[in-house]
Amino acid sequence: MTQPHASSLLGFSDGQIEALKWIALASMFLDHFGRHLLGWGQETWVFALGRIAFPLFALVLALNLSREGDRAARAARTARRLALWCAVSVLPSIWARGDPAVVNVLATLGLGAAMCWVLASPAPMVLRLAVCMAVAAASRWVEFGLPGAFLIPAIYLWCTQRQREAALLALVSFSLTVWLNASFGGWLGGLGTVAALPVAWSMSRLPVSVPRLQLAFYLVYPLHLSLIGALKASA
């Protein structure tokens, strides 16, 4: 079955969306290998460049969930898949980073997908409210917290409804993410997060066409953490 196009949501083609995902992965790899294997600190350019990754992941996920079709089913399926691979990545994450204070970023993306399901689903209000409360409670234990989890449904709403309120919510969530990264990595961390905006804008104007390799994204996340853990153990 042919994958539905993104309907030029926010001006991105399918190939540009996929390219953004791989730019985000490269940014994340640089950050993880630099900090967890080579010992670079948080107030360094390595951490700053790594901050580009999450806003791009959030954008890519929101755009893909915004495609035409049964959005509620797609969001539910994506949330389950992210939860599964998050669980698969827990031990590799501990091996690479030590005992982390928060669950890996796949959990944040999964919570965002769950919130998109809340927005798209015709399920009873009480069930959707329960999911919202669960997301709010769980966001304390994931990377980028509640602002990160809310950034995804905010972009999703912006794509599907074109509401100014959704754009404002996305801006607030993004600004809080900038502040959070700056609190850990200083002004470089904040600047690195803001850099995701010109990266995304530039990509929307470049004639790129990257084929979609969905499973590869889920595989390379635990694999790169396992590689870092193995290299640390053998050092």
Side-chain angles (χ1 to χ4, degrees), residues 44-138:
T44 64
W45 65 271
V46 168
F47 180 82
L49 288 178
R51 299 313 92 197
I52 296 173
F54 177 73
L56 295 185
F57 282 141
L59 174 61
V60 168
L61 178 57
L63 289 172
N64 282 328
L65 294 180
S66 300
R67 296 174 184 274
E68 296 296 331
D70 190 341
R71 289 169 175 156
R74 184 184 302 122
R77 185 170 61 248
T78 302
R80 289 193 298 267
R81 187 184 300 123
L82 285 162
L84 171 62
W85 284 98
C86 174
V88 169
S89 302
V90 167
L91 290 180
S93 181
I94 292 173
W95 196 18
R97 302 189 296 178
D99 189 7
V102 293
V103 184
N104 61 68
V105 72
L106 297 184
T108 315
L109 298 175
L111 294 181
M115 287 297 298
C116 291
W117 173 85
V118 168
L119 294 171
S121 175
M125 179 63 70
V126 65
L127 177 57
R128 288 185 285 157
L129 180 59
V131 172
C132 289
M133 294 175 65
V135 168

Side-chain angles (χ1 to χ4, degrees), residues 1-6 14 67-69 74 212:
M1 181 179 294
T2 303
Q3 175 68 41
H5 291 288
D14 290 351
R67 296 174 184 274
E68 296 296 331
R74 184 184 302 122
R212 194 175 189 198

Side-chain angles (χ1 to χ4, degrees), residues 109-191:
L109 298 175
L111 294 181
M115 287 297 298
C116 291
W117 173 85
V118 168
L119 294 171
S121 175
M125 179 63 70
V126 65
L127 177 57
R128 288 185 285 157
L129 180 59
V131 172
C132 289
M133 294 175 65
V135 168
S139 65
R140 178 181 177 184
W141 308 107
V142 303
E143 290 187 297
F144 307 104
L146 192 61
F150 270 37
L151 180 59
I152 297 157
I155 299 173
Y156 171 88
L157 272 180
W158 188 12
C159 293
T160 58
Q161 305 294 331
R162 293 303 176 106
Q163 296 174 344
R164 288 178 294 180
E165 295 84 356
L168 178 60
L169 177 59
L171 178 61
V172 170
S173 297
F174 180 73
S175 299
L176 289 172
T177 303
V178 172
W179 173 84
L180 180 65
N181 285 333
S183 69
F184 286 106
W187 68 270
L188 274 175
L191 183 62

